[in-house]
Protein backbone atom coordinates (compact mmCIF):
# COMPACT_ATOMS: atom_id res chain seq x y z
CA UNK A 1 0.00 0.00 0.00
CA UNK A 2 1.35 3.44 -0.85
CA UNK A 3 2.36 5.70 2.01
CA UNK A 4 0.19 8.72 2.63
CA UNK A 5 2.44 11.67 2.05
CA UNK A 6 4.11 12.76 5.27
CA UNK A 7 4.97 16.37 6.07
CA UNK A 8 8.59 15.27 5.86
CA UNK A 9 9.95 12.04 4.40
CA UNK A 10 11.94 9.37 6.19
CA UNK A 11 15.20 8.19 4.67
CA UNK A 12 16.95 4.87 5.28
CA UNK A 13 20.73 4.69 4.83
CA UNK A 14 21.99 1.12 4.93
CA UNK A 15 24.96 -1.00 3.82
CA UNK A 16 27.76 -3.17 5.17
CA UNK A 17 29.64 -1.81 8.20
CA UNK A 18 32.33 0.66 7.09
CA UNK A 19 30.72 1.83 3.84
CA UNK A 20 30.18 5.33 5.23
CA UNK A 21 26.65 5.38 6.61
CA UNK A 22 27.34 7.48 9.70
CA UNK A 23 29.59 9.88 7.81
CA UNK A 24 26.83 10.42 5.23
CA UNK A 25 24.06 10.63 7.83
CA UNK A 26 25.95 13.21 9.85
CA UNK A 27 26.36 15.40 6.76
CA UNK A 28 22.72 14.91 5.82
CA UNK A 29 21.62 15.86 9.31
CA UNK A 30 23.64 19.09 9.09
CA UNK A 31 22.40 19.94 5.59
CA UNK A 32 18.72 19.00 6.01
CA UNK A 33 17.92 19.52 9.69
CA UNK A 34 16.50 15.99 9.68
CA UNK A 35 17.18 13.88 12.74
CA UNK A 36 19.77 11.11 12.36
CA UNK A 37 18.70 7.91 14.14
CA UNK A 38 21.60 5.53 14.62
CA UNK A 39 19.82 2.26 15.39
CA UNK A 40 22.87 0.82 17.18
CA UNK A 41 22.93 3.80 19.53
CA UNK A 42 19.18 3.60 20.18
CA UNK A 43 19.58 -0.08 21.02
CA UNK A 44 22.37 0.77 23.48
CA UNK A 45 20.48 3.66 25.03
CA UNK A 46 17.31 1.62 25.62
CA UNK A 47 19.07 -1.72 26.14
CA UNK A 48 17.31 -3.43 23.25
CA UNK A 49 19.47 -6.54 23.27
CA UNK A 50 18.71 -10.19 23.58
CA UNK A 51 21.86 -12.15 24.39
CA UNK A 52 25.44 -11.92 23.18
CA UNK A 53 26.96 -13.23 19.96
CA UNK A 54 30.22 -14.91 20.97
CA UNK A 55 31.40 -15.35 17.38
CA UNK A 56 31.15 -11.66 16.49
CA UNK A 57 31.76 -10.38 20.00
CA UNK A 58 28.68 -8.14 20.03
CA UNK A 59 25.25 -8.06 21.65
CA UNK A 60 22.31 -9.43 19.64
CA UNK A 61 19.73 -6.82 18.69
CA UNK A 62 16.21 -7.27 20.03
CA UNK A 63 14.52 -6.08 16.86
CA UNK A 64 11.00 -5.81 18.25
CA UNK A 65 12.12 -3.65 21.16
CA UNK A 66 14.16 -1.30 19.04
CA UNK A 67 11.23 -0.92 16.61
CA UNK A 68 8.97 -0.04 19.55
CA UNK A 69 11.44 2.62 20.67
CA UNK A 70 11.57 4.11 17.17
CA UNK A 71 7.89 4.00 16.19
CA UNK A 72 6.75 7.38 17.53
CA UNK A 73 9.75 9.18 16.12
CA UNK A 74 9.31 7.61 12.70
CA UNK A 75 5.67 8.74 12.64
CA UNK A 76 6.87 12.37 12.90
CA UNK A 77 8.81 12.11 9.61
CA UNK A 78 12.07 13.91 8.88
CA UNK A 79 14.23 11.04 10.10
CA UNK A 80 17.41 9.55 8.64
CA UNK A 81 17.79 5.98 9.86
CA UNK A 82 21.27 4.43 9.85
CA UNK A 83 21.75 0.68 10.21
CA UNK A 84 23.71 -2.17 8.61
CA UNK A 85 20.62 -4.28 8.08
CA UNK A 86 17.19 -3.30 6.82
CA UNK A 87 14.76 -6.19 6.51
CA UNK A 88 13.13 -5.88 9.95
CA UNK A 89 11.91 -2.29 9.67
CA UNK A 90 8.27 -1.79 8.64
CA UNK A 91 8.19 -1.04 4.92
CA UNK A 92 5.81 1.88 5.55
CA UNK A 93 8.47 3.79 7.51
CA UNK A 94 10.56 4.81 4.51
CA UNK A 95 10.05 6.99 1.48
CA UNK A 96 13.49 6.22 0.07
CA UNK A 97 16.30 3.76 0.76
CA UNK A 98 19.97 4.32 0.00
CA UNK A 99 22.39 1.41 0.03
CA UNK A 100 26.02 2.53 0.16
CA UNK A 101 28.51 0.36 -1.76
CA UNK A 102 32.27 0.24 -1.35
CA UNK A 103 34.90 -1.67 -3.35
CA UNK A 104 36.10 -4.55 -1.23
CA UNK A 105 39.77 -3.50 -1.15
CA UNK A 106 38.78 -0.04 0.09
CA UNK A 107 36.38 -1.51 2.62
CA UNK A 108 38.99 -3.98 3.81
CA UNK A 109 41.37 -1.15 4.72
CA UNK A 110 38.61 0.79 6.49
CA UNK A 111 37.57 -2.22 8.58
CA UNK A 112 41.17 -3.09 9.50
CA UNK A 113 41.57 0.53 10.56
CA UNK A 114 38.50 0.05 12.74
CA UNK A 115 40.16 -2.93 14.41
CA UNK A 116 38.21 -5.72 12.71
CA UNK A 117 40.08 -8.96 12.08
CA UNK A 118 39.51 -12.68 11.53
CA UNK A 119 35.99 -13.93 10.89
CA UNK A 120 34.35 -10.58 11.58
CA UNK A 121 36.52 -8.91 8.94
CA UNK A 122 36.11 -11.69 6.38
CA UNK A 123 32.34 -11.94 6.84
CA UNK A 124 31.85 -8.22 6.39
CA UNK A 125 33.96 -8.19 3.23
CA UNK A 126 31.96 -11.14 1.88
CA UNK A 127 28.74 -9.36 2.78
CA UNK A 128 29.84 -6.49 0.53
CA UNK A 129 31.14 -8.70 -2.29
CA UNK A 130 27.85 -10.63 -2.41
CA UNK A 131 25.83 -7.38 -2.20
CA UNK A 132 23.92 -8.90 0.70
CA UNK A 133 22.47 -5.65 2.01
CA UNK A 134 21.48 -4.39 -1.45
CA UNK A 135 19.60 -7.65 -2.05
CA UNK A 136 18.05 -7.39 1.41
CA UNK A 137 16.84 -3.87 0.62
CA UNK A 138 15.50 -4.91 -2.78
CA UNK A 139 13.65 -7.77 -1.11
CA UNK A 140 12.18 -5.56 1.61
CA UNK A 141 11.15 -2.34 -0.16
CA UNK A 142 9.71 -1.41 -3.53
CA UNK A 143 12.56 -1.58 -6.02
CA UNK A 144 11.94 1.91 -7.32
CA UNK A 145 12.70 3.49 -3.94
CA UNK A 146 15.97 1.54 -3.44
CA UNK A 147 19.11 3.26 -4.72
CA UNK A 148 22.67 1.95 -4.57
CA UNK A 149 25.28 4.70 -4.16
CA UNK A 150 29.07 4.28 -4.51
CA UNK A 151 30.98 5.29 -1.38
CA UNK A 152 34.67 4.90 -2.13
CA UNK A 153 35.95 8.45 -2.00
CA UNK A 154 35.31 11.90 -0.62
CA UNK A 155 33.97 12.87 -4.07
CA UNK A 156 31.46 10.01 -3.90
CA UNK A 157 30.37 11.21 -0.47
CA UNK A 158 29.81 14.75 -1.71
CA UNK A 159 27.94 13.50 -4.80
CA UNK A 160 25.74 11.34 -2.59
CA UNK A 161 24.86 14.25 -0.32
CA UNK A 162 23.98 16.36 -3.37
CA UNK A 163 21.92 13.56 -4.92
CA UNK A 164 19.93 13.09 -1.73
CA UNK A 165 19.37 16.84 -1.33
CA UNK A 166 18.08 16.92 -4.92
CA UNK A 167 15.76 14.01 -4.22
CA UNK A 168 14.46 15.84 -1.15
CA UNK A 169 13.82 18.99 -3.16
CA UNK A 170 11.93 16.94 -5.73
CA UNK A 171 9.93 15.20 -2.97
CA UNK A 172 8.93 18.55 -1.47
CA UNK A 173 7.70 19.82 -4.82
CA UNK A 174 5.87 16.67 -5.85
P1 LIG B 1 29.57 3.03 8.66
O1 LIG B 1 28.72 4.01 9.45
O2 LIG B 1 28.88 2.56 7.39
O3 LIG B 1 30.09 1.90 9.47
P2 LIG B 1 31.53 5.16 8.68
O4 LIG B 1 30.76 6.36 8.25
O5 LIG B 1 31.84 4.99 10.12
O6 LIG B 1 30.86 3.82 8.12
O7 LIG B 1 32.88 5.18 7.81
C1 LIG B 1 33.94 4.27 8.07
C2 LIG B 1 35.26 4.97 7.79
O8 LIG B 1 35.42 5.19 6.41
C3 LIG B 1 35.42 6.34 8.46
O9 LIG B 1 36.77 6.47 8.85
C4 LIG B 1 35.12 7.32 7.36
C5 LIG B 1 35.54 6.57 6.12
N1 LIG B 1 34.67 6.83 4.96
C6 LIG B 1 33.35 6.58 4.90
N2 LIG B 1 32.87 6.87 3.69
C7 LIG B 1 33.90 7.32 2.96
C8 LIG B 1 34.03 7.78 1.61
N3 LIG B 1 32.99 7.83 0.76
N4 LIG B 1 35.25 8.18 1.21
C9 LIG B 1 36.31 8.13 2.05
N5 LIG B 1 36.25 7.68 3.32
C10 LIG B 1 35.06 7.29 3.77
Amino acid sequence: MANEKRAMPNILVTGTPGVGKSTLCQQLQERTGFEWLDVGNIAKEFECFDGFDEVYGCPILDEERVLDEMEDKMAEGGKIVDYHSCDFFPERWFDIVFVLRTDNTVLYDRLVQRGYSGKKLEDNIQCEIFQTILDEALGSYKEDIVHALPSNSADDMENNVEKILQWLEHWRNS
Side-chain angles (χ1 to χ4, degrees):
M1 198 177 75
N3 284 336
E4 274 179 43
K5 190 167 172 178
R6 283 180 261 267
M8 285 187 290
N10 289 322
I11 298 169
L12 173 61
V13 176
T14 189
T16 308
V19 291
K21 298 180 295 299
S22 25
T23 310
L24 177 69
C25 289
Q26 186 166 14
Q27 292 191 24
L28 287 175
Q29 175 170 255
E30 284 164 15
R31 301 276 298 266
T32 62
F34 280 26
E35 186 181 3
W36 167 25
L37 300 181
D38 178 324
V39 176
N41 284 345
I42 295 172
K44 268 185 219 145
E45 187 181 345
F46 296 98
E47 298 181 358
C48 307
F49 295 116
D50 184 14
F52 192 82
D53 187 327
E54 298 293 345
V55 176
Y56 291 101
C58 61
I60 298 165
L61 187 70
D62 184 332
E63 295 173 352
E64 289 308 316
R65 284 185 54 200
V66 86
L67 295 181
D68 284 349
E69 293 299 340
M70 293 173 70
E71 181 72 59
D72 289 351
K73 278 191 171 287
M74 296 306 296
E76 294 168 0
K79 306 293 181 249
I80 309 162
V81 171
D82 165 359
Y83 200 54
H84 57 260
S85 165
C86 62
D87 60 356
F88 62 97
F89 300 118
E91 190 182 354
R92 65 185 156 78
W93 274 7
F94 298 107
D95 300 282
I96 192 143
V97 177
F98 295 104
V99 184
L100 301 188
R101 301 300 316 280
T102 300
D103 292 346
N104 53 311
T105 51
V106 176
L107 186 64
Y108 189 94
D109 291 344
R110 286 187 199 162
L111 292 179
V112 168
Q113 189 80 21
R114 192 180 264 187
Y116 284 21
S117 62
K119 182 170 169 55
K120 190 169 181 174
L121 176 61
E122 296 307 327
D123 284 0
N124 279 297
I125 295 298
Q126 284 215 0
C127 173
E128 189 57 14
I129 291 172
F130 292 127
Q131 65 171 59
T132 307
I133 310 299
L134 178 58
D135 285 347
E136 190 179 311
L138 290 168
S140 306
Y141 303 92
K142 287 210 197 83
E143 286 195 12
D144 60 342
I145 71 159
V146 176
H147 302 270
L149 298 174
S151 181
N152 295 303
S153 63
D155 278 356
D156 286 344
M157 184 63 66
E158 185 52 32
N159 286 338
N160 293 341
V161 171
E162 291 305 326
K163 215 176 261 180
I164 295 170
L165 291 176
Q166 277 172 21
W167 173 83
L168 200 51
E169 194 59 30
H170 183 261
W171 189 91
R172 287 197 170 110
N173 296 327
S174 65

